[in-house]
Amino acid sequence: MNTLVKAGIALVALFGAFVMMLVVGVVVIAKAGAAEISDGGGGLRGVPAEFRPWILKASAACTHRELSPALLAAQIEAESGFSTSRSTVSSTGALGPAQFMPGTWATWGRDDDGNGDTSPWDIGDAVMSQGRFMCSLIGDAKASGIPGDVRALALAGYNAGWYAVTHAHPPGIPPFAETQDYVKKILAAMPKFQGPSTLQISGTGSGPDAVRRALTRVGTPYSWGGGGPDGPSTGFCDGTNGYLNGTCSASSTSGFDCSSLVMYAYWPSLHLPRTAAEQYGATSNHPVARADLQPGDLLFWAHGSSIYHVAMYAGDGKVVAAPRTGRNVEVAPITSAMPERDYYGATRP
């Protein structure tokens, strides 16, 4: 092959690689932006580059915010260690990086990477199918009324089958050592995959630092009376609050409520009191107009003069908050975080 031909081929290859880099870059940027609401404003770190765009895409495609990129990443790590080998098969016959059994793959598998082959070993096909299956299981968990973390219930369903979850006694995580270890391992591994927020929190000081700390807890369940300076904990029910579908969810759910998340975020640089009303009382001498909000400012909602909710301003018209029983810590627009008519005011701690 002569020198000119070689040079021409090299130039074509270089241009093709450049175009591919642009396409992949656009996909990653677009999906990262789309995932902002799905993952509650949290980012993603510590995953192989070939998995990252698909994890973000799978998370963004799910209407349930609980399916965060970090949850999907921790699950893939537990299933296969991010294996890219075409011979990844478990002792029970589960296939590929997301470890699909053939029968389950027949239901959820799609040619998501568009290469003409629907394969559990193709990273795009596997991760997107994993996302669809998990999204459906989270929906089942929410509709079931079974108390507890819906992420844990969905993971148990992925591992043991949803039938095993609904027919456990009582319904919930089945009493199988493998399944219980699987759920605990994945939930415990999530924090290492939670990257910097896709929200750009600028500035230094207690306010921006508090927001950054709160964002590390995106995806943590709401638990009435739970949580504190040291992190999430189980809560309690008081006759009105803490119940989900008639069952006391708070007593079995480790998480935060709205004011304990704020307390956790500001601790130890600022020791705020425990309840939303007390936090308003402690900071009301520094009121802030809505047009002048800065990251870390506290926003309050009330029925009349009775304050019932607090959230932290995260910038870009959004707040980070623990909204209510059955939901998780999330990033949401101010206008939809709570009923607009109940907005009471904002303060700067």
Side-chain angles (χ1 to χ4, degrees), residues 179-276:
T179 301
Q180 293 184 352
D181 290 344
Y182 177 84
V183 172
K184 291 177 183 177
K185 179 180 180 180
I186 292 171
L187 294 180
M190 282 180 59
K192 72 179 180 181
F193 295 110
Q194 291 171 340
S197 169
T198 54
L199 285 172
Q200 296 301 308
I201 308 301
S202 60
T204 58
S206 61
D209 288 347
V211 174
R212 294 185 188 102
R213 192 169 194 226
L215 288 171
T216 67
R217 292 297 182 171
V218 164
T220 301
Y222 182 99
S223 181
W224 172 265
D230 295 328
S233 65
T234 54
F236 60 89
C237 297
D238 65 355
T240 302
N241 300 290
Y243 299 91
L244 186 63
N245 298 319
T247 300
C248 182
S249 171
S251 62
S252 60
T253 302
S254 180
F256 293 98
D257 61 20
C258 66
S259 54
S260 67
L261 177 67
V262 170
M263 175 188 278
Y264 167 83
Y266 268 101
W267 209 275
S269 64
L270 179 62
H271 291 192
L272 289 171
R274 179 60 180 80
T275 70

Side-chain angles (χ1 to χ4, degrees), residues 320-347:
V320 56
R324 63 177 180 271
T325 300
R327 298 272 293 277
N328 296 334
V329 176
E330 64 181 16
V331 174
I334 294 175
T335 52
S336 61
M338 286 288 153
E340 189 72 6
R341 64 182 180 275
D342 292 346
Y343 182 72
Y344 192 77
T347 66

Side-chain angles (χ1 to χ4, degrees), residues 61-187:
C62 181
T63 57
H64 302 297
R65 294 182 179 182
E66 292 84 356
L67 190 65
S68 68
L71 175 58
L72 288 169
Q75 187 178 21
I76 296 170
E77 180 189 52
E79 291 286 1
S80 70
F82 297 100
S83 174
T84 58
S85 171
R86 306 292 294 189
S87 60
T88 302
V89 182
S90 75
S91 59
T92 59
L95 312 173
Q99 291 288 276
F100 273 94
M101 295 300 290
T104 310
W105 179 255
T107 300
W108 298 102
R110 305 282 188 280
D111 180 20
D112 289 285
D113 60 11
N115 68 355
D117 184 26
T118 302
S119 171
W121 287 283
D122 288 349
I123 293 173
D125 295 357
V127 175
M128 291 300 293
S129 298
Q130 171 200 3
R132 275 190 294 273
F133 188 20
M134 279 294 292
C135 189
S136 176
L137 287 167
I138 289 173
D140 289 340
K142 288 182 173 181
S144 71
I146 300 172
D149 186 342
V150 295
R151 300 171 304 174
L153 294 172
L155 288 169
Y158 194 98
N159 179 263
W162 186 245
Y163 180 89
V165 173
T166 58
H167 286 74
H169 300 286
I173 311 300
F176 311 143
E178 177 191 331
T179 301
Q180 293 184 352
D181 290 344
Y182 177 84
V183 172
K184 291 177 183 177
K185 179 180 180 180
I186 292 171
L187 294 180

